[in-house]
Amino acid sequence: MASKEEIRSEHRRLRKTLSPTQLEDAGSGVAVHGADWAAGRAGGAPAAFAVYLGVSFEPPTLLLMAALHAAGHRVLLPVCEPSRQLSWVLWTPSTPFVSSSYAPINEPVGERLPSTAAASAAGIFLPATAVDRDGNRIGQGGGYYDRLLDFLDSSGVRPPTIAVVYDSEVLPAGTIPAEPFDRPVAEALTPSGVVRLGPGSTADPGPGAP
């Protein structure tokens, strides 16, 4: 079995081969299916969703953020804090961004809400470089979301979570090594749709960008 770092490195390499058109198409698919997923979790009412801004060759999420905002939802974006903690800023299309002091990402400027703000969200969109059918997830290696999920699980208040990946990054069960601190996810959001993970999940994610 390949290590997490080997899997992460290989998928980062493959992501760098994506063309601007492929990235644009992926962003459109993620927005459509992600907005539908959020609508199901919100029960037809405005709600809060924790999202993140996809950068470089990550699945683009800006269109998803805009779709959630247009639907009347509150969009919370993360800010990296010391000790691998996350705070949250309420995003609107006019929110400016700056480079993070702790991670290679762009972060929103605004009033920072505590990490616990994610507990009251109707759903959390998680960054990932791959997931497998067991629900194991490989993030970016920083550990911020592992800590967040651990806190939410320990508190018994984890909202529905969904990992955002390209279609080919949904891997067969048993592909990703599971470690004690890992927190599995039940679903993956790909440009082609939502994929159920965990026991009994057998459906293919469908064709799409790698």
Side-chain angles (χ1 to χ4, degrees):
M1 178 185 294
S3 69
K4 284 185 177 180
E5 188 51 48
E6 289 171 333
I7 297 171
R8 181 185 293 115
S9 296
E10 175 62 9
H11 285 288
R12 283 177 172 170
R13 182 189 69 80
L14 292 173
R15 286 180 172 189
K16 291 179 180 179
T17 67
L18 295 175
S19 68
T21 298
Q22 287 175 305
L23 290 171
E24 183 178 350
D25 290 345
S28 297
V30 164
V32 169
H33 299 299
D36 286 345
W37 182 86
R41 299 305 174 276
F49 288 91
V51 200
Y52 68 96
L53 179 66
V55 297
S56 186
F57 292 95
E58 289 183 303
T61 58
L62 186 58
L63 289 179
L64 169 61
M65 292 156 49
L68 294 174
H69 181 267
H73 301 306
R74 300 183 303 282
V75 178
L76 299 172
L77 295 189
V79 174
C80 295
E81 304 285 5
S83 301
R84 301 186 187 278
Q85 299 294 321
L86 292 175
S87 60
W88 301 91
V89 170
L90 186 63
W91 175 87
T92 71
S94 62
T95 299
F97 286 86
V98 296
S99 297
S100 171
S101 300
Y102 299 98
I105 62 172
N106 294 323
E107 297 177 331
V109 177
E111 178 186 357
R112 296 188 183 185
L113 305 175
S115 183
T116 53
S120 61
I124 301 175
F125 294 86
L126 301 171
T129 52
V131 294
D132 70 12
R133 289 286 179 173
D134 291 325
N136 295 313
R137 164 187 162 272
I138 298 179
Q140 299 294 355
Y144 288 91
Y145 280 90
D146 287 326
R147 284 197 171 226
L148 173 65
L149 295 180
D150 180 60
F151 162 74
L152 296 174
D153 287 345
S154 299
S155 303
V157 291
R158 193 213 280 205
T161 53
I162 188 166
V164 185
V165 293
Y166 293 106
D167 294 277
S168 63
E169 294 170 348
V170 179
L171 309 178
T175 301
I176 297 175
E179 301 178 70
F181 58 80
D182 288 332
R183 294 294 180 267
V185 295
E187 294 176 291
L189 171 60
T190 76
S192 294
V194 173
V195 182
R196 290 287 303 172
L197 307 173
S201 63
T202 58
D204 293 328

